[in-house]
Amino acid sequence: MINRIAGVFARRGYNIESLAVGLNEDKALFTIVVSGTDKVLRQVMEQLQKLVNVLKVEDLSNEPQVERELILIKVHADPKHHAELKWLVDIFRARIVDISEHSVTIEVTGDPGKMAAVQRNFSKFGIKEIARTGKIALRREKMGASAPFWRYSAASYPDLEGKTPVNALVGAKNMKPVAKNDMPVGGDVYPIEPSDGFTVNQVLDAHWGVLNDENISGIQSHTLSMLVNDAPGVLNIVTGVFARRGYNIQSLAVGHAEVEGLSRLTTVVPGTDESIGKLVQQLYKLVELHEVRDITHLPFAERELMLIKIAVNAAARRDVLDIASIFRAKAVDVSDHTITLELTGDLDKMVALQRLLEPYGICEVARTGRIALVRESGVDSKYLRGYSFPL
């Protein structure tokens, strides 16, 4: 599916500036940034809508929106510059995720303007590597607007005391459950093909997970980091290698790299060490690809970004904010009947927060793919989770 969508842009000569894909077992949300006139973009949207498994295409360019990007930036860190680096980290509300004798890896979230300022200010220290997600966005809810999300959960509106409006089940009587066995299998995701009268739930579910531990067959999730030319059609060519060999892409994030004219593509692909090794050899044959590394067995810092909109009113807002503070999530938008949270972390953290917020009613979720950079310190934090402290 990723290859088909990228192909629509490639065949028309459009360069995708950024791409964020939140993949799920049965659905996926693509957030794509591309330049063009309104007329041409409308034509592209019409072409995308013709794809069999595309359920909905929206242009949020002219609407009020919450937009965020995530960037991991590794800079040279001379000891005499540590104080200035820490000062800049505090100014941009960033976090240090890894530090070694000669480098520091920093995590920053914000809008595209903030990302440009971060890169400009840290460039004087010498940028070694950059991994960034594409932009994700959710529509801002209007203040004073009617609350269309009450039906998701009674916990969202405790002051209703269980009262149900007359039209509570309007639109729900035609809903038909889709069994797992009825879902078509193939491509990058396992899509639900809606039949007449069936309404597809548009909320992305984080529970699909990633294969962290090797199973009996030796299959595990491999994280690949690639440097490619920033040119139209390159994403279509790269994902075509995966599609032709039947690899299922679990996560994908594309953004500008540290060198002008190059983009860094980070993807998560399940497979054995042997099969992924052969895949890497095939990728190296591409003219547009400069470097590909399988960093699965190296210590690396990984992050994802999620925007999640929850249906709450004033009575339940305090409970949601208490949960958010535990996960260090930020409230980035609030209306009379919703609140939008921003969260960064690994997949386990995303799943845990989403499960806790499900009883309140989740309206929308936007997620980036995973980005990762090798830890120069050599410390692999996942091996520390099973130990009691102090070590």
Side-chain angles (χ1 to χ4, degrees), residues 53-219:
N53 294 320
V54 172
L55 305 177
K56 188 177 183 181
V57 182
E58 286 186 297
D59 182 7
L60 300 181
S61 306
N62 300 321
E63 298 191 30
Q65 58 183 279
V66 180
E67 57 179 2
R68 289 293 184 273
E69 288 186 50
L70 170 64
I71 184 171
L72 287 177
I73 180 168
K74 186 187 295 183
V75 299
H76 294 282
D78 192 284
K80 63 182 180 181
H81 294 145
H82 279 183
E84 187 177 359
L85 272 171
K86 184 63 171 63
W87 176 66
L88 285 173
V89 167
D90 292 338
I91 287 178
F92 288 106
R93 299 179 183 176
R95 297 174 185 169
I96 296 176
V97 297
D98 184 62
I99 186 168
S100 66
E101 186 177 357
H102 302 293
S103 68
V104 174
T105 303
I106 301 162
E107 165 204 323
V108 192
T109 59
D111 56 32
K114 180 179 178 181
M115 297 297 106
V118 167
Q119 192 167 343
R120 185 170 60 251
N121 280 274
F122 282 104
S123 61
K124 63 181 179 181
F125 301 104
I127 298 175
K128 298 180 67 175
E129 285 183 270
I130 289 179
R132 63 193 303 169
T133 67
K135 181 178 74 173
I136 58 174
L138 288 181
R139 185 181 289 104
R140 290 186 183 270
E141 296 298 326
K142 297 179 181 179
M143 294 296 294
S146 58
F149 305 117
W150 62 267
R151 63 184 179 275
Y152 281 91
S153 173
S156 305
Y157 297 92
D159 53 337
L160 293 178
E161 297 179 354
K163 296 178 181 179
T164 305
V166 178
N167 60 346
L169 299 179
V170 172
K173 59 184 178 181
N174 294 326
M175 297 280 287
K176 299 177 182 179
V178 176
K180 285 266 184 183
N181 297 333
D182 297 334
M183 296 182 187
V185 177
D188 303 278
V189 292
Y190 304 99
I192 293 179
E193 295 184 358
S195 59
D196 293 338
F198 175 73
T199 304
V200 177
N201 182 12
Q202 300 295 332
V203 177
L204 277 179
D205 184 4
H207 300 169
W208 59 278
V210 168
L211 300 171
N212 289 318
D213 301 320
E214 292 189 6
N215 59 17
I216 298 175
S217 62
I219 295 177

Side-chain angles (χ1 to χ4, degrees), residues 105-356:
T105 303
I106 301 162
E107 165 204 323
V108 192
T109 59
D111 56 32
K114 180 179 178 181
M115 297 297 106
V118 167
Q119 192 167 343
R120 185 170 60 251
N121 280 274
F122 282 104
S123 61
K124 63 181 179 181
F125 301 104
I127 298 175
K128 298 180 67 175
E129 285 183 270
I130 289 179
R132 63 193 303 169
T133 67
K135 181 178 74 173
I136 58 174
L138 288 181
R139 185 181 289 104
R140 290 186 183 270
E141 296 298 326
K142 297 179 181 179
M143 294 296 294
S146 58
F149 305 117
W150 62 267
R151 63 184 179 275
Y152 281 91
S153 173
S156 305
Y157 297 92
D159 53 337
L160 293 178
E161 297 179 354
K163 296 178 181 179
T164 305
V166 178
N167 60 346
L169 299 179
V170 172
K173 59 184 178 181
N174 294 326
M175 297 280 287
K176 299 177 182 179
V178 176
K180 285 266 184 183
N181 297 333
D182 297 334
M183 296 182 187
V185 177
D188 303 278
V189 292
Y190 304 99
I192 293 179
E193 295 184 358
S195 59
D196 293 338
F198 175 73
T199 304
V200 177
N201 182 12
Q202 300 295 332
V203 177
L204 277 179
D205 184 4
H207 300 169
W208 59 278
V210 168
L211 300 171
N212 289 318
D213 301 320
E214 292 189 6
N215 59 17
I216 298 175
S217 62
I219 295 177
Q220 70 174 54
S221 291
H222 287 254
T223 302
L224 303 181
S225 178
M226 292 173 264
L227 275 177
V228 298
N229 289 334
D230 186 8
V234 174
L235 180 62
N236 182 45
I237 294 171
V238 174
T239 55
V241 175
F242 292 87
R244 288 192 297 271
R245 286 158 182 80
Y247 285 95
N248 181 36
I249 298 176
Q250 290 181 316
S251 171
L252 179 68
V254 185
H256 297 295
E258 61 276 6
V259 179
E260 187 176 355
L262 297 181
S263 292
R264 185 174 298 278
L265 190 153
T266 308
T267 184
V268 180
V269 184
T272 62
D273 290 343
E274 181 182 2
S275 65
I276 297 299
K278 293 179 180 178
L279 175 63
V280 170
Q281 292 175 4
Q282 294 296 321
L283 289 170
Y284 262 122
K285 295 179 181 179
L286 300 178
V287 177
E288 295 81 2
L289 189 139
H290 295 264
E291 179 189 28
V292 56
R293 298 177 66 191
D294 182 3
I295 63 175
T296 307
H297 302 296
L298 299 174
F300 63 88
E302 59 171 323
R303 290 294 186 274
E304 290 188 40
L305 173 63
M306 177 170 71
L307 290 176
I308 181 168
K309 186 186 294 182
I310 307 100
V312 292
N313 64 354
R317 192 174 297 147
R318 183 69 263 168
D319 294 337
V320 171
L321 289 175
D322 287 342
I323 295 174
S325 65
I326 295 173
F327 288 85
R328 297 180 184 175
K330 302 175 184 177
V332 294
D333 185 56
V334 64
S335 69
D336 295 336
H337 52 273
T338 64
I339 186 168
T340 302
L341 302 177
E342 167 200 318
L343 177 69
T344 58
D346 57 18
L347 178 69
D348 294 333
K349 187 176 180 180
M350 306 285 172
V351 172
L353 178 64
Q354 187 165 334
R355 282 177 173 166
L356 285 173

